[in-house]
Amino acid sequence: QVQLVESGGGLVQAGGSLRLSCAASGIIFSINAMGWYRQAPGKQRELVAVITRGGSTNYADSVKGRFTLSRDNAKNTVYLQMNSLKPQDTAVYYCKLETYGMDYWGKGTLVTVSS
């Protein structure tokens, strides 16, 4: 089975930084993309950032210039460096793994940004 282990969430003041990590383990034949989604209370889950197997990245407009997505292919791990955090960034952040045949989701990690 495939598991996604997320870490790095927590409480931070506005303007601060956090780094999220997501490590995928198990039997994975091909990774098409990995990234992060988030869901705030009362809102739809939205894409934050994703990186494809070719290395291209896509960011939500609201986080461009503040968040940076990177990966370590050898470890099947992605990192989300979040700088200049705003209260609007408060949400549960979910790691997503897309393979040729299946999508996988992490349990989520809570990020709370206080004003």
Side-chain angles (χ1 to χ4, degrees), residues 44-107:
Q44 295 273 85
R45 188 172 299 186
E46 64 177 352
L47 183 145
V48 178
V50 64
I51 185 166
T52 69
R53 64 186 178 190
S56 63
T57 54
N58 185 31
Y59 296 90
D61 288 340
S62 60
V63 307
K64 287 181 179 177
R66 300 188 297 119
F67 292 9
T68 302
L69 182 66
S70 61
R71 69 180 179 184
D72 185 337
N73 288 334
K75 298 180 179 179
N76 286 337
T77 299
V78 293
Y79 308 92
L80 185 67
Q81 180 66 45
M82 305 185 294
N83 298 326
S84 301
L85 283 162
K86 304 175 180 180
Q88 305 96 288
D89 296 317
T90 295
V92 177
Y93 284 69
Y94 297 91
C95 181
K96 184 184 180 183
L97 167 66
E98 299 178 7
T99 72
Y100 74 97
M102 189 73 68
D103 294 345
Y104 302 92
W105 291 90
K107 299 293 184 182

